[in-house]
Amino acid sequence: MFHVKPSAPQIRAICTGIATPLLMASAGGPPRSISTAIRKSPRSEADVWAGRLGLEGDEQADLSVHGGLDKAIYAYPREHWPLWATATGTALTEWTAGRLGENLSTEGVTDNEVWVGDLWHQGDVVLRVTAPRVPCHKLAAAIRLPTAARLMYDHACSGWYLAVLSPGPLRPGPIEIEPGPRNTTIAKALARTRRPGHE
């Protein structure tokens, strides 16, 4: 048995999506259409297969920044929803699982408490925390908030990627944590990626 505490993470929803067009503003020109799979929806099945490259039925449009072995699954804590609701001037009830492109809508730990290298266990599935999500222009377009990247950096609310070390079925429910080296939290790893323009 691994580390379980009252604040241990829970998977509250599992979300997947397919690549669809998204209109983005273009400086000095008409809007342009790009392909993105940021729009995710909760799955209704009891469990969803987690393979080495992600969840069954999920797509990533730009494999240079999303997907692959080290970014197979994206987790985001719903503790951050009130921040987004305030920033966008929307009702908290409008913030549902998958809206920020997450595969796992979690509860119980946030970016300051999640460590790169920790292993997450659920049944036969073993996930490894690998890196923070680096905010991109597609997020800003999807939620209609030009300052989305800056907000993620300022509030350390990026969420994190997970590699699938041992495939199997994932379902809503508790996650058991096996501590890794615990040198860097997701929040600190995100801060290291900040570039001019995100100030």
Side-chain angles (χ1 to χ4, degrees):
M1 188 68 73
F2 300 105
H3 184 61
V4 182
K5 60 179 182 177
S7 61
Q10 299 269 335
I11 297 174
R12 293 303 187 190
I14 299 175
C15 308
T16 60
I18 61 174
T20 57
L22 173 68
L23 281 178
M24 288 190 58
S26 179
R32 58 190 177 94
S33 178
I34 60 169
S35 180
T36 177
I38 196 171
R39 300 184 180 100
K40 312 286 186 188
S41 299
R43 296 281 288 267
S44 59
E45 299 94 323
D47 52 51
V48 178
W49 185 263
R52 298 281 187 185
L53 293 176
L55 298 176
E56 184 178 28
D58 191 49
E59 293 182 358
Q60 295 92 22
D62 186 353
L63 294 177
S64 68
V65 291
H66 305 291
L69 293 173
D70 286 338
K71 298 179 179 179
I73 293 176
Y74 174 47
Y76 198 82
R78 54 182 58 197
E79 284 89 343
H80 296 321
W81 287 357
L83 177 68
W84 293 106
T86 299
T88 57
T90 54
L92 183 57
T93 53
E94 293 183 31
W95 290 86
T96 55
R99 183 163 181 184
L100 290 168
E102 70 270 30
N103 298 120
L104 304 183
S105 179
T106 67
E107 190 171 37
V109 288
T110 60
D111 309 57
N112 285 302
E113 304 163 292
V114 174
W115 297 81
V116 175
D118 273 5
L119 301 183
W120 287 21
H121 295 257
Q122 188 190 76
D124 294 332
V125 178
V126 181
L127 309 174
R128 185 182 71 240
V129 179
T130 58
R133 172 195 188 162
V134 176
C136 66
H137 57 285
K138 292 182 181 179
L139 171 67
I143 65 172
R144 299 179 182 176
L145 183 66
T147 58
R150 187 176 66 199
L151 187 145
M152 269 194 171
Y153 279 112
D154 287 350
H155 296 274
C157 61
S158 68
W160 51 91
Y161 285 112
L162 299 149
V164 180
L165 302 187
S166 178
L170 274 178
R171 63 181 57 199
I175 292 290
E176 298 179 359
I177 299 175
E178 179 182 356
R182 299 222 156 173
N183 296 320
T184 306
T185 63
I186 287 295
K188 288 181 179 178
L190 176 69
R192 293 172 184 164
T193 71
R194 193 161 193 166
R195 298 289 182 268
H198 295 144
E199 302 304 325

